[in-house]
Amino acid sequence: MTESPVLEITDLVKTFGALRASDGVTLDLRSGEVHALIGPNGAGKSTLIHQICGTQKQDSGTIHFAGQDIGRLGVAERARLGLGRTFQVSSLAPEFSALRNVMLAVQARAGSSFRFFRPVMRDRGLIDQARAMLERVGLAGRAKIPAAELSHGERRQLEIAIALALGSKAFLLDEPMAGMGPEGSKRLTGFLDTLRHEAPILLVEHDMDAVFALADRISVLVYGRVIATGTVEEIRRDPAVRTAYLGDHA
Amino acid sequence: MALSRENIINLVLALLLLVVPVAASQMGQPFTVTLATRIAVLALAATGLNIALGLGGLVSFGHAVFFGIGGYAAGILASHVFSGEPMMFGFEGSNQMPVIWIFAVIACGLAGLAIGAISLRTSGVYFIMITLAFAQMIYYFAISWPAYGGEDGLSILVRNQFPGINTMLPLSFFLLCYGVLIACIGLFALLRGSRFGAALQAARQNEVRVAAVGISPYGIRLAAFVVSAMMTGLAGALYADLNKFVSPSMLSWHMSGELIVLIILGGTGRLFGPVAGAMLYVIFEFALGGLTERWQFFLGLILLGVVLFARGGLIGLLAGKARHD
């Protein structure tokens, strides 16, 4: 791997009072890979995601994305650079249809939202691109349904369609399998396996079947520290990981 | 293209507001025409607020500022024409509505930019309070500024003119206001359907989502607030000409509240919500105001009913839930 990583996190520290939620986290995401981030509850996974996306600012350390230091940028600026995320709890415009949710992303990518007169619903280019994204995630048949009325799994798919529409250079998926039934998890795992060709994926996930099926590398986060990074096999064999987290599962 | 139920209702409301004063004028009832003009002007002010509040979810409790600035633009410019004293730089003022409107709209745009730029850094209850605080500042400024009437307000001796229209005739003035109202409702519809409108409405529904696709909600909201202020300011200029009088009461927080009430009565974010709300409000004020001085008590009851049982206001009650294509 001679290419420099798409996302490179170095010595990230974030404290809340006495709690060190990120305690010198170093992590990278290389092009074409799925890098899974696992760890027990309270290990600081969410805090790490927040810092990467920009909703929280690190106390120290750096975050480089696509060759640029993004550590001080706002959420919207980071998204414009191509950081596409999905949320642990789906976050959509609930009144808008699935199609309009994706159209918002297409318009954001195309540039200005300061266009005041041309009706979006007559903007073929916008609609066609959004529809193509819905088709890719298998939601074309639900295009007109308001996001609030979609099922849990469909909302997950819609979030991925939005990230796709943004032309993301990296995907940050925060527990995409959460709340999905076994069937849904399996289907989504299959889909994510194709998504990696689009852009690398940093996958935060509790579902170990999905993690073992998808991940090229796994990092284990415990008490704000990465205690191990390696291939699936290496992580399965790592004694420290087994005591800290995996238990019998491996 | 088949008309949706809401569009049919909108059309009926638009025609009703046009036909009634025309008929009343034929039957020699100028007072009804004046009531209809009041409806049109209040609906225009509320349509302005509806951009910020309805589309953007920005509960501005200070929109009377813009209504009042628009009013004072009309009053001040006209007063210099009558007194013959030039304003600044030898400008003699104006009693021409197009000139006044341009002044009103620009002044409100600038005020909206300043107030919005600061207020929009907050949200929720803080946003409500900070817009109110700005409004109160300007209200007390107007009261203590003797040059233009201070607390007593400022009379417009002769209604300002519009090229080709005799604005002294109640019906002509009504038609002018009605035309401006319909044009602004059209503008509202365009904004709502545009990319800008999509981002603005999405930011109301879920700010986090909008930022996550790379759109900064602040800029979108600020633009909405400015346009909103300008439209409400234009209504203020017409209101001053309707009453031939401006006073600090146009700037008071009662006025801000009244505009919010109009929108809630009619239907928040709905195209004709402000029209429906203004109709209800003015008819109510007229019908009950004749019977009791405490008509606002009954208005309060109705408002309570709407908030508890008919969140979509009158339009929501008649046309059902709002649909986004």
Side-chain angles (χ1 to χ4, degrees):
Chain A
M1 194 77 57
T2 48
E3 253 180 292
S4 66
V6 178
L7 178 68
E8 196 170 15
I9 296 158
T10 315
D11 275 332
L12 213 58
V13 175
K14 176 82 186 174
T15 55
F16 299 103
L19 177 73
R20 292 177 82 83
S22 296
D23 192 3
V25 175
T26 296
L27 193 76
D28 65 1
L29 181 66
R30 301 167 188 158
S31 67
E33 75 166 345
V34 175
H35 190 160
L37 183 65
I38 62 173
N41 287 323
K45 301 190 294 291
S46 293
T47 305
L48 183 59
I49 291 282
H50 283 308
Q51 291 171 88
I52 298 173
C53 295
T55 39
Q56 286 174 358
K57 295 281 189 297
Q58 71 277 13
D59 298 339
S60 67
T62 59
I63 306 170
H64 281 83
F65 177 64
Q68 199 176 337
D69 184 354
I70 60 165
R72 300 281 153 213
L73 299 182
V75 179
E77 285 171 292
R78 294 183 200 203
R80 277 200 292 276
L81 288 175
L83 203 56
R85 73 174 294 198
T86 67
F87 294 82
Q88 197 171 358
V89 177
S90 305
S91 182
L92 297 156
E95 296 167 22
F96 277 180
S97 66
L99 184 68
R100 290 206 65 173
N101 267 283
V102 184
M103 281 167 67
L104 189 71
V106 178
Q107 107 179 27
R109 185 192 185 183
S112 179
S113 287
F114 289 96
R115 293 198 195 154
F116 297 92
F117 301 113
R118 185 172 176 202
V120 286
M121 294 318 285
R122 283 193 217 131
D123 193 333
R124 289 283 7 144
L126 210 59
I127 295 173
D128 289 345
Q129 282 184 60
R131 208 173 275 281
M133 296 306 155
L134 285 180
E135 243 153 55
R136 283 198 56 190
V137 301
L139 268 184
R142 307 281 282 163
K144 291 196 166 159
I145 310 295
E149 291 168 25
L150 293 174
S151 74
H152 182 79
E154 286 169 338
R155 277 184 228 163
R156 295 265 177 225
Q157 288 167 278
L158 182 53
E159 287 207 325
I160 292 172
I162 291 171
L164 273 173
L166 289 173
S168 302
K169 295 197 188 81
F171 296 110
L172 226 66
L173 309 184
D174 195 357
E175 297 195 24
M177 306 294 169
M180 301 274 265
E183 259 315 295
S185 292
K186 226 165 147 186
R187 235 187 356 235
L188 189 57
T189 304
F191 178 75
L192 293 184
D193 208 20
T194 65
L195 190 65
R196 74 168 86 201
H197 302 302
E198 199 87 22
I201 300 172
L202 184 63
L203 176 70
V204 177
E205 189 50 68
H206 277 299
D207 180 338
M208 294 316 292
D209 292 333
V211 167
F212 287 147
L214 286 167
D216 298 300
R217 286 192 299 155
I218 299 176
S219 289
V220 185
L221 195 66
V222 179
Y223 295 122
R225 302 187 76 99
V226 176
I227 61 164
T229 296
T231 63
V232 173
E233 273 317 303
E234 287 164 0
I235 294 298
R236 276 186 200 256
R237 282 198 305 264
D238 193 303
V241 175
R242 295 179 76 124
T243 43
Y245 184 53
L246 286 177
D248 312 327
H249 199 97
Chain B
M1 197 180 80
L3 283 175
S4 70
R5 189 164 165 175
E6 180 167 352
N7 282 335
I8 294 171
I9 290 164
N10 292 347
L11 204 61
V12 169
L13 287 176
L15 285 175
L16 204 65
L17 184 56
L18 179 62
V19 169
V20 170
V22 169
S25 177
Q26 294 296 320
M27 293 186 285
Q29 290 181 331
F31 183 66
T32 306
V33 180
T34 302
L35 278 187
T37 313
R38 190 171 149 76
I39 290 174
V41 173
L42 287 177
L44 177 62
T47 300
L49 177 58
N50 208 17
I51 295 173
L53 196 156
L55 299 183
L58 307 169
V59 185
S60 165
F61 200 14
H63 253 52
V65 164
F66 310 119
F67 197 61
I69 288 177
Y72 271 98
I76 291 173
L77 288 172
S79 74
H80 283 279
V81 171
F82 283 103
S83 66
E85 291 169 33
M87 297 176 72
M88 291 171 244
F89 316 117
F91 179 61
E92 292 162 4
S94 178
N95 61 354
Q96 293 297 315
M97 286 189 194
V99 177
I100 289 168
W101 294 353
I102 289 168
F103 268 88
V105 166
I106 291 175
C108 287
L110 293 174
L113 189 64
I115 294 175
I118 296 169
S119 307
L120 288 168
R121 298 197 174 277
T122 66
S123 62
V125 100
Y126 298 100
F127 178 78
I128 298 175
M129 285 301 124
I130 201 165
T131 49
L132 174 65
F134 273 113
Q136 290 299 90
M137 273 166 52
I138 295 183
Y139 171 72
Y140 285 110
F141 175 77
I143 280 191
S144 57
W145 194 25
Y148 297 108
E151 208 169 351
D152 299 328
L154 186 61
S155 287
I156 298 174
L157 299 176
V158 180
R159 187 174 284 158
N160 294 304
Q161 295 161 9
F162 192 90
I165 293 176
N166 181 358
T167 55
M168 295 304 290
L169 295 176
L171 187 63
S172 302
F173 184 61
F174 165 77
L175 290 172
L176 184 63
C177 295
Y178 182 80
V180 173
L181 170 66
I182 296 298
C184 285
I185 289 176
L187 182 65
F188 179 92
L190 274 181
L191 289 177
R192 186 174 64 169
S194 70
R195 287 186 181 202
F196 169 74
L200 179 61
Q201 291 171 83
R204 166 174 56 78
Q205 296 169 45
N206 187 347
E207 180 173 27
V208 175
R209 167 43 70 194
V210 173
V213 299
I215 300 171
S216 159
Y218 180 78
I220 296 285
R221 286 175 173 157
L222 184 56
F225 196 79
V226 169
V227 177
S228 169
M230 288 159 114
M231 205 179 273
T232 299
L234 180 57
L238 287 169
Y239 195 75
D241 260 323
L242 169 66
N243 300 325
K244 293 187 226 155
F245 180 65
V246 216
S247 75
S249 73
M250 271 180 82
L251 292 156
S252 79
W253 65 274
H254 297 100
M255 191 66 229
S256 296
E258 210 172 300
L259 292 179
I260 296 175
V261 167
L262 293 185
I263 290 180
I264 292 172
L265 277 180
T268 313
R270 309 302 277 261
L271 190 58
F272 269 70
V275 175
M279 281 179 165
L280 271 184
Y281 188 86
V282 170
I283 291 170
F284 213 76
E285 178 185 46
F286 172 67
L288 277 176
L291 300 175
T292 163
E293 271 178 40
R294 290 167 185 82
W295 66 275
Q296 289 194 322
F297 171 78
F298 296 97
L299 180 76
L301 285 182
I302 290 196
L303 197 61
L304 205 61
V306 167
V307 170
L308 287 177
F309 305 112
R311 285 282 175 83
L314 187 64
I315 300 278
L317 214 54
L318 297 173
K321 252 185 97 193
R323 286 242 142 235
H324 295 277
D325 302 291

